[in-house]
Amino acid sequence: IDNLTWQPEVLFENNTITRDPTRGILISSGGKTVVKNNRFIRTSMSAILIAFDARSWYESGKVNDVLIERNIFEECCGPVINIAPETNEFEDGRYVHENIRIINNKFILSDNRVLFARSTDGLVFEENETVSDSEPKFETEHCDNVIIE
């Protein structure tokens, strides 16, 4: 059970996550979430996972306001940022997540998959630097109002 009227705000700042055997961090608060000035180094799964798990682990909810800025992602498994609610049913005009901004980060890639996003409205990926031997890959599925620059 999730109380949608009482969601914590989260500030995740100035941390180093390295060689984690799972994902770097799981973002699941409906309150404002800021992830900034961190280093994610060689995470075994995505550096950042934004899920919405209502069918297996039951550990996360939808997000409404996420800012990911000024982080360095070094050789993390891809997709480095994975917005993957566990749903296969989509309705026009309805989305699980909204208002996710990924701005001014550096991605040093060993896997060219930078971003995967499903069922998200208002996704912005801009002013980021990618360092890769191959073309960086961005994939969206059932998303609206997406800016990737």
Side-chain angles (χ1 to χ4, degrees):
I1 296 175
D2 205 359
N3 183 346
L4 298 179
T5 63
W6 189 60
Q7 298 286 313
E9 291 189 354
V10 177
L11 172 60
F12 190 80
E13 181 178 24
N14 298 323
N15 299 287
T16 298
I17 294 92
T18 185
R19 295 185 179 100
D20 191 323
T22 61
R23 64 188 161 258
I25 61 173
L26 169 66
I27 298 174
S28 61
S29 176
K32 181 177 181 171
T33 300
V34 176
V35 178
K36 68 179 182 178
N37 299 323
N38 301 289
R39 285 186 69 191
F40 296 85
I41 305 168
R42 295 185 191 99
T43 55
S44 297
M45 297 167 64
S46 297
I48 296 177
L49 172 63
I50 300 174
F52 176 78
D53 181 0
R55 66 177 179 198
S56 58
W57 289 93
Y58 303 101
E59 66 182 356
S60 64
K62 65 180 267 164
V63 302
N64 301 302
D65 185 358
V66 175
L67 174 62
I68 300 168
E69 70 174 343
R70 296 191 310 266
N71 299 286
I72 299 173
F73 300 93
E74 298 178 44
E75 300 179 355
C76 297
C77 284
V80 177
I81 298 177
N82 191 10
I83 305 166
E86 293 189 22
T87 183
N88 296 321
E89 297 181 19
F90 304 115
E91 290 182 39
D92 288 338
R94 295 192 67 179
Y95 305 93
V96 174
H97 299 303
E98 58 188 301
N99 197 24
I100 299 172
R101 291 141 1 257
I102 305 161
I103 301 170
N104 197 24
N105 300 281
K106 183 172 185 177
F107 295 85
I108 303 167
L109 303 173
S110 58
D111 178 327
N112 70 337
R113 297 175 298 153
V114 177
L115 172 69
F116 172 80
R118 175 186 298 132
S119 194
T120 302
D121 184 25
L123 173 63
V124 175
F125 184 97
E126 61 186 6
E127 299 176 25
N128 296 291
E129 177 185 355
T130 56
V131 178
S132 178
D133 291 337
S134 59
E135 186 69 26
K137 184 176 178 183
F138 304 88
E139 184 179 356
T140 61
E141 179 180 305
H142 186 70
C143 292
D144 200 9
N145 299 307
V146 174
I147 298 170
I148 298 177
E149 297 181 337

